[in-house]
C-alpha cells in the first residue's frame, strides 16, 4: 500500500512544474490517511479543479495583488531578505564580523 502511494506521489511530482523561486521547501507526511488527503488536494490544485469550477473575472484578489506579485513575494530569495530585515543591527554586525566558514578557520 505504501509503495502505491509513493508511486502516485512520484508521478504527481514528475508532472508538477518546478518553481525555482521556492527552493528547499518540501512536504513530509507519515500518516497514510493524511497522505491520501494531501495527495487528493494536490491533485485538485495540479489539475486546476477549483480554477475551472469557479472561474474568476479578474486575475487579482480583494487586495488587488496580481499572481505575478504573489509569486515574487513568496520567492525564497525575497523571504530570506525579509528575514534579514527582521534582524537587529547588533545581530547583523555580529554575523558579519564573527561568522567564519570552516574553511577560513583551517587557513
Amino acid at each position: 500500500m505504501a509503495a502505491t502511494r509513493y508511486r502516485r506521489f512520484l508521478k504527481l511530482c514528475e508532472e508538477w512544474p518546478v518553481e525555482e523561486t521556492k527552493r528547499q521547501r518540501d512536504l513530509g507526511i507519515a500518516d497514510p490517511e493524511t497522505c491520501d488527503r494531501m495527495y487528493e488536494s494536490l491533485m485538485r490544485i495540479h489539475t486546476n479543479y477549483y480554477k475551472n469550477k469557479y472561474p474568476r473575472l479578474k486575475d487579482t484578489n480583494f487586495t488587488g495583488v496580481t499572481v505575478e506579485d504573489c509569486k515574487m513575494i513568496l520567492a525564497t530569495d525575497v523571504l530570506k531578505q525579509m528575514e534579514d530585515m527582521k534582524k537587529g543591527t547588533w545581530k547583523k554586525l555580529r554575523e558579519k564580523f564573527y561568522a567564519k566558514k570552516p574553511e577560513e578557520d583551517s587557513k
Side-chain angles (χ1 to χ4, degrees), residues 7-70:
R7 283 193 298 276
R8 285 175 30 192
F9 267 105
L10 281 180
K11 183 167 176 26
L12 180 61
C13 289
E14 288 172 359
E15 294 175 7
W16 200 273
V18 175
E19 181 116 16
E20 284 298 319
T21 60
K22 295 179 179 72
R23 297 181 297 274
Q24 299 176 342
R25 293 190 248 170
D26 0 55
L27 302 171
I29 307 162
D31 178 36
E33 291 175 8
T34 303
C35 185
D36 289 340
R37 284 194 313 270
M38 179 79 63
Y39 173 82
E40 296 301 327
S41 294
L42 289 173
M43 185 55 94
R44 284 190 298 272
I45 293 170
H46 175 63
T47 59
N48 289 324
Y49 174 81
Y50 291 107
K51 181 180 180 182
N52 296 329
K53 186 174 180 177
Y54 305 106
R56 300 178 66 147
L57 301 176
K58 297 181 180 179
D59 285 336
T60 60
N61 60 23
F62 72 97
T63 64
V65 177
T66 64
V67 172
E68 291 79 25
D69 291 339
C70 287

Side-chain angles (χ1 to χ4, degrees), residues 84 86-98:
D84 289 344
K86 289 181 186 177
K87 293 179 182 176
T89 305
W90 290 113
K91 187 169 185 174
K92 287 179 191 174
L93 288 172
R94 198 171 41 228
E95 286 177 356
K96 182 175 182 178
F97 293 108
Y98 293 111

